[in-house]
Amino acid sequence: MPITQEQLSAKIRQAMDIMSDNPEIDIEEARQHLADEIAAGVAEFTIGRTTTGTASNGAAVTTTIQGT
């Protein structure tokens, strides 16, 4: 089940806090860690979510977002 927007925000904040609380962290390592954590959070937020749209012929289309 996908996470909520509030949970996604908390995950991003946690990733930022972990990196910013370490004065000896390598900047490139911190950037990569933050990017990885945000990507994982976005995946949790979107994968498994059901979305509905309209096809070009006007028909309703419902699908569940799948992971790779």
Side-chain angles (χ1 to χ4, degrees):
M1 178 170 192
I3 62 174
T4 65
Q5 185 172 344
E6 183 178 301
Q7 290 169 315
L8 175 59
S9 177
K11 284 181 174 289
I12 292 170
R13 177 60 190 250
Q14 181 182 21
M16 287 185 204
D17 287 346
I18 289 171
M19 292 292 105
S20 64
D21 289 343
N22 184 349
E24 297 178 17
I25 194 76
D26 176 68
I27 296 298
E28 287 303 314
E29 180 184 338
R31 286 181 179 147
Q32 187 60 55
H33 177 78
L34 185 57
D36 293 343
E37 291 295 318
I38 291 172
V42 169
E44 281 186 72
F45 183 74
T46 56
I47 294 172
R49 191 168 299 281
T50 299
T51 185
T52 303
T54 305
S56 60
N57 65 0
V61 177
T62 301
T63 189
T64 300
I65 300 170
Q66 302 294 314
T68 56

